[in-house]
Amino acid sequence: TPLPEARESGEAYIEVASRGEGVTHLSRRALTRSVEAAKPDFELTAEHKVWIEDYLKDRISRKSLKVGENVTVNKELVREAIGQSKELTDAQLKHLKRYSQRVSAYR
């Protein structure tokens, strides 16, 4: 059976888990869709993106997902996370580099 399609409402991205995916993966997809819809007013580096994913995951859920399970990612929460990430210090961004280098989507 094919998985349901990801979709979008006025207020949220509704992402669908594939095999081996968790809330972080779905947060990453919602962030990508948000940035494609409206670019932030600063350079969003891989380190910012890793921090944003974590911010979203911590506010959505830490539970594991079943294949085909939906996760709703509120657009306002994504915008809030992007705004908060703009305040990261150089030291924080440097610390995040070790994590961002492991994320193939950001290389």
Side-chain angles (χ1 to χ4, degrees):
T1 321
L3 290 176
E5 291 286 319
R7 55 198 190 285
E8 182 177 343
S9 71
E11 298 83 37
Y13 301 106
I14 298 91
E15 302 295 344
V16 181
S18 294
R19 185 168 181 229
E21 289 186 325
V23 176
T24 299
H25 298 94
L26 276 55
S27 295
R28 182 175 301 148
R29 284 207 295 272
L31 171 61
T32 299
R33 294 207 286 159
S34 177
V35 170
E36 286 171 356
K39 297 264 186 261
D41 63 352
F42 65 103
E43 184 191 351
L44 201 60
T45 66
E47 291 73 34
H48 287 101
K49 292 174 183 177
V50 165
W51 186 90
I52 291 165
E53 288 173 7
D54 209 42
Y55 184 94
L56 295 173
K57 172 192 52 95
D58 288 348
R59 282 151 185 81
I60 295 168
S61 174
R62 291 178 166 267
K63 70 181 181 82
S64 57
L65 301 175
K66 296 180 181 81
V67 172
E69 188 171 346
N70 289 344
V71 171
T72 300
V73 183
N74 183 288
K75 291 179 180 180
E76 185 54 42
L77 182 62
V78 177
R79 285 190 291 271
E80 176 185 306
I82 290 170
Q84 294 282 332
S85 78
K86 188 176 181 177
E87 306 303 318
L88 292 170
T89 66
D90 288 342
Q92 288 171 309
L93 291 168
K94 185 177 178 184
H95 172 75
L96 288 163
K97 196 164 201 68
R98 74 177 81 173
Y99 303 104
S100 67
Q101 290 173 338
R102 297 179 190 164
V103 181
S104 60
Y106 298 149
R107 278 193 234 136

